[in-house]
Amino acid sequence: DSHDECFFQFTILMAITGVQAGTTGILAGKITDSNGDPLPGVTVTVTGDNLPGNRVDTTPGSGHYRFTNLPPGTYTLVAEMMGMETVTQSNIVVTVNCALKINLTMEIADVQYLCCVSAGYAGYGQSMTSSCTPGIFGYPGFHGESDSPFSTEEYDEVPENTFQAVIDHPFSTFSIDVDTASYANTRRFLNDGELPPNEAVRIEEYINYFDYDYPAPYDHEDAFSVNYEISQCPWNQSHKLVHIGIQGKQIEIEDTPPGNLVFLIDVSGSMEDYNKLPLLIQGFKMLVQELDEDDLVSIVTYAEDVNLALPATPGNEKETILDVLENLEADGGTAGGAGIQMAYKVAEENFMEDGNNRVILATDGDFNVGISSDEEMIKLVEEKRDSGVFLSTLGFGMGNYKDSKIEKLANHGNGNYSYVDSLLEAKKVFVTELGGTLVTIAKDVKLQVEFNPAMVESYRLIGYENRMLDTEDFDDDTKDAGELGAGHSVTALYEIVPAEVAPDRGGRSIYRYQSHVMSEMALENDELFYLGLRYKEPDGEISRLIEMYIKDNPVKLKNTSDNFRFSAAVALFGMLLRQSEYAGDGTLETVLALAVNSLGDDEYGYRAEFINLVEKTRLMREVARITLLPFPQAFMEIETLLSCR
């Protein structure tokens, strides 16, 4: 009967969308124009009595929208797009185990000629130009070779690190990165049935999202412990993989210095979605519960204008702080630059000499009033960071998300950057890893590796592309670098080509008119590389140096630590998502094999969740007969199943 047919259709979709069988339904369909052509960039909103807020989707190039995990009930669907008449359909009944198909047609709005613009397909790093069509803003007439989804999300395109010949480039120097936003943002894409754009994948942020059981610093006075392992590279058996792990010292909550915290909250109109301001408020409420009378909390909000919503208030006056948070509403433009200026001013007025002074910016990054360009925002933050006030950023939302801007602000503001896609992630940032989020134990942390050309022919640092430094920057204490929070760890992986498997060049470079000849030291010892680490105290200006000389003592892959195998699995997953030319023989099955056998303690289930994401990606490929292609292509494969009679 029709119910059985609908259930069968629903179970096919389950593997792709992650829907819970037996409790929810799906509402999906296609938005087209009057000619039947798909409309990209349509904002589709669904509302219903059983939803805790609105749900919003944006149609990609195929014109499809979808809402999964909808509780049974009656819903209203609204489709909006500039230049087109808004379409509303009410009294849509969603039932359990049913995938309901609702297609909508949009007509051109009765408006005057609108100037055509360049339509940025930021989601996939393409730029396509719209033909000038009266009455239509950016549609139709897109020209280009890509079918990439329309999106105003912005990501910086950073080319992958390449293999470097040691004889010509012996030094590899980079700033640490403890940001985790890229991984959480990818999880959002995958849980929504899509693959992330290549530019959204920063592999170091994947790796550093997870905890590793590195030993604590041996001496209580030391800020770090430094650890390493060498083994076979899982995706290229003739190469080796070097794993370097740095563990920051842990600070117990009762020993945490008092905090002078300024919550800088974007309350502009773009923040009204359920996964933006409402989720943001819940996250900050979690943080407030962790504070005490020694802490100070101020709240600055910005939309068209900037407002000091809460002057500095002791952390034990929780009802006062929570009342302000709960009464925040989204409306108006986005004066982010002015908001940052006021937040720093408030932090400086309440500065604690022996405390943790920090602005926490929560936004989707869509600044559009006043100072808004990346260059202007970076200059503003750089001018303020010497005040001793650190800036951390939290990203929220989708569709218009500005990852590139939010990341830059944290990088240049001596802070860290997280993306919050759920209450569980909010708990991770604000509760589980509170010390690392709020307490900096070292700043301007840099690593430098010098490889021995007698042992290593070439190397490639996996990730950290936008954290690379020049060789001379390592000893330059004026050069800004990354910060490390209490209890944070930093992991870096190098894929190396051993000298014995590389072509024999006689110790010389490939240059015709000059040569780089190996030293006697290189030829006579068994050191694989030199490792240097520089860092400053949070309030210091002169760096300290830690040095290690690492010998070539590889172990078999099966005998490596869980840390080694799991970090390798995460790195390979990132390379596969980026469709990297360096993934070698690696597959999703390789990722699963490495990860399943390296779960370790996994106290909070983050590694198990990673395995589920990899499995979901694999099922997307198998069930929808695609290999790492955008979700809409899979969606079209099953479009005929989306009906409930």
Side-chain angles (χ1 to χ4, degrees), residues 447-508:
L447 274 78
Q448 186 170 80
V449 176
E450 180 185 5
F451 288 97
N452 180 355
M455 304 289 288
V456 181
E457 193 275 341
S458 58
Y459 64 88
R460 189 178 86 87
L461 175 61
I462 301 174
Y464 295 93
E465 283 84 1
N466 60 0
R467 299 300 185 112
M468 301 303 295
L469 300 173
D470 294 332
T471 300
E472 58 271 20
D473 292 338
F474 184 69
D475 295 320
D476 183 356
D477 280 350
T478 66
K479 187 68 177 180
D480 184 60
E483 284 61 52
L484 191 72
H488 269 161
S489 62
V490 178
T491 300
L493 301 179
Y494 282 94
E495 182 178 350
I496 63 174
V497 180
E500 64 266 20
V501 303
D504 183 10
R505 299 195 310 192
R508 297 188 59 184

Side-chain angles (χ1 to χ4, degrees), residues 257-524:
N260 165 32
L261 307 178
V262 181
F263 299 169
L264 176 56
I265 301 177
D266 182 351
V267 293
S268 64
S270 68
M271 292 291 291
E272 66 180 351
D273 296 344
Y274 75 99
N275 57 358
K276 293 186 180 181
L277 186 59
L279 178 58
L280 179 160
I281 292 170
Q282 294 302 313
F284 276 120
K285 288 169 69 174
M286 292 182 192
L287 174 56
V288 170
Q289 298 302 328
E290 303 298 315
L291 305 179
D292 59 30
E293 67 274 9
D294 294 328
D295 300 307
L296 287 178
V297 173
S298 308
I299 299 178
V300 174
T301 63
Y302 64 90
E304 290 284 354
D305 300 307
V306 180
N307 177 45
L308 179 60
L310 178 72
T313 301
N316 62 337
E317 296 183 19
K318 301 188 188 304
E319 290 302 319
T320 301
I321 302 171
L322 295 177
D323 283 346
V324 173
L325 288 170
E326 289 169 352
N327 285 299
L328 296 179
E329 295 181 352
D331 185 44
T334 316
I340 291 174
Q341 288 175 318
M342 176 176 279
Y344 272 110
K345 181 176 182 292
V346 172
E348 290 166 2
E349 289 174 349
N350 298 284
F351 192 85
M352 295 180 176
E353 289 295 338
D354 297 320
N356 171 39
N357 301 277
R358 187 175 299 265
V359 173
I360 304 176
L361 168 62
T363 178
D364 59 12
D366 196 9
F367 303 158
N368 55 31
V369 176
I371 295 175
S372 60
S373 73
D374 287 1
E375 293 75 17
E376 290 174 314
M377 300 296 282
I378 289 171
K379 181 180 179 182
L380 171 61
V381 170
E382 286 182 337
E383 289 173 351
K384 295 294 185 179
R385 71 183 177 206
D386 292 336
S387 67
V389 178
F390 289 61
L391 172 68
S392 290
T393 58
L394 303 173
F396 291 83
M398 57 198 292
N400 66 329
Y401 185 59
K402 304 297 186 277
D403 170 88
S404 56
K405 188 183 296 291
I406 305 174
E407 185 202 17
K408 288 187 181 77
L409 290 175
N411 289 352
H412 292 270
N414 283 359
N416 45 334
Y417 167 37
S418 303
Y419 177 83
V420 180
D421 60 333
S422 66
L423 278 176
L424 288 176
E425 185 65 17
K427 181 181 178 181
K428 180 178 187 287
V429 173
F430 287 128
V431 180
T432 307
E433 298 179 355
L434 181 64
T437 301
L438 299 182
V439 182
T440 298
I441 61 172
K443 68 178 182 180
D444 293 339
V445 185
K446 314 168 192 173
L447 274 78
Q448 186 170 80
V449 176
E450 180 185 5
F451 288 97
N452 180 355
M455 304 289 288
V456 181
E457 193 275 341
S458 58
Y459 64 88
R460 189 178 86 87
L461 175 61
I462 301 174
Y464 295 93
E465 283 84 1
N466 60 0
R467 299 300 185 112
M468 301 303 295
L469 300 173
D470 294 332
T471 300
E472 58 271 20
D473 292 338
F474 184 69
D475 295 320
D476 183 356
D477 280 350
T478 66
K479 187 68 177 180
D480 184 60
E483 284 61 52
L484 191 72
H488 269 161
S489 62
V490 178
T491 300
L493 301 179
Y494 282 94
E495 182 178 350
I496 63 174
V497 180
E500 64 266 20
V501 303
D504 183 10
R505 299 195 310 192
R508 297 188 59 184
S509 73
I510 61 174
Y511 301 133
R512 179 179 178 86
Y513 296 110
Q514 60 181 325
S515 64
H516 300 175
V517 180
M518 297 181 197
S519 68
E520 291 298 322
M521 178 180 292
L523 295 168
E524 291 178 357

Side-chain angles (χ1 to χ4, degrees), residues 583-597:
D585 299 327
T587 64
L588 291 174
E589 286 72 22
T590 310
V591 174
L592 287 170
L594 288 166
V596 167
N597 290 297

